[in-house]
């Protein structure tokens, strides 16, 4: 089932809150005042998702130096996220969106029960400054944060 199209650049991100693998609820409000990279990914422990999130892990110091934070989101449960995050030493929150409420609010597609890989960068006010399906490089995300570069490359 495909949902609404992904949020466009300039759109305020919807409020959300979900349980993290770190045993706390985390929401958009927790990141106000700093940029936020929001990664919707299909599944824990799959090759592409592991590469994508480990790349963010490997460059996490650079992301934090830019004043930003990262959250990763999919519909798996907290236990799966905890195992995945611990195995790969992910320093950022991995959120359990069991009912796909957050994915729907962001307009992230769903195919065969999995989120379409989609990355958003939100500015310090929670407004979308970057949206792209796929695996944009960390450089591209940092550029969006540092320059508020408008980017909607594959979002139709």
């Amino acid at each position: 089932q495909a949902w609404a199209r992904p949020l466009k650049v300039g759109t305020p991100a919807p409020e959300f809150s979900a349980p993290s693998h770190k045993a706390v609820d985390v929401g958009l409000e927790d990141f106000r005042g700093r940029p936020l990279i929001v990664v919707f990914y299909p599944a824990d422990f799959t090759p592409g998702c592991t590469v994508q999130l480990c790349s963010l892990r490997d460059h996490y110091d650079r992301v934090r130096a830019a004043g930003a934070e990262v959250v990763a989101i999919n519909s798996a449960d907290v236990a799966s996220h905890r195992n995945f995050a611990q195995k790969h030493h992910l320093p950022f929150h991995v959120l359990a969106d069991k009912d796909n409420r957050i994915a729907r609010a962001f307009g992230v597609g769903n195919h065969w029960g999995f989120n379409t890989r989609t990355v958003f960068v939100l500015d310090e006010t929670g407004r979308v400054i970057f949206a792209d399906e796929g695996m944009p490089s960390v450089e591209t995300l940092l550029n969006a944060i540092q320059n508020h570069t408008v980017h909607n490359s594959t979002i139709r």
Side-chain angles (χ1 to χ4, degrees):
Q1 168 191 354
W3 295 322
R5 297 190 186 280
L7 295 178
K8 299 283 189 187
V9 167
T11 306
E15 294 296 328
F16 65 84
S17 182
S20 166
H21 78 284
K22 297 181 182 188
V24 295
D25 280 4
V26 174
L28 181 59
E29 191 58 38
D30 296 313
F31 302 102
R32 291 267 186 244
R34 60 187 156 163
L36 179 64
I37 298 170
V38 181
V39 180
F40 288 93
Y41 67 104
D44 294 339
F45 298 105
T46 58
C49 299
T50 300
V51 165
Q52 182 178 30
L53 296 183
C54 287
S55 176
L56 284 162
R57 173 204 65 203
D58 294 347
H59 296 281
Y60 190 61
D61 288 344
R62 293 178 64 209
V63 170
R64 294 295 303 266
E69 190 51 76
V70 176
V71 294
I73 303 173
N74 80 15
S75 61
D77 62 25
V78 171
S80 176
H81 288 338
R82 187 178 307 110
N83 292 336
F84 180 60
Q86 287 175 347
K87 177 176 181 175
H88 297 291
H89 309 286
L90 301 180
F92 43 82
H93 290 281
V94 183
L95 305 183
D97 185 21
K98 288 296 296 168
D99 59 3
N100 289 305
R101 183 177 35 83
I102 302 169
R104 275 196 293 277
F106 274 77
V108 173
N110 182 292
H111 303 283
W112 305 290
F114 298 101
N115 290 339
T116 300
R117 186 182 316 280
T118 310
V119 179
F120 297 91
V121 177
L122 311 179
D123 71 10
E124 55 282 342
T125 70
R127 188 168 302 277
V128 176
I129 59 172
F130 175 98
D132 201 355
E133 292 178 352
M135 293 197 319
S137 70
V138 172
E139 285 302 322
T140 298
L141 300 174
L142 288 170
N143 185 52
I145 291 165
Q146 292 163 350
N147 300 312
H148 286 240
T149 302
V150 175
H151 182 83
N152 263 317
S153 77
T154 61
I155 305 295
R156 293 178 272 301

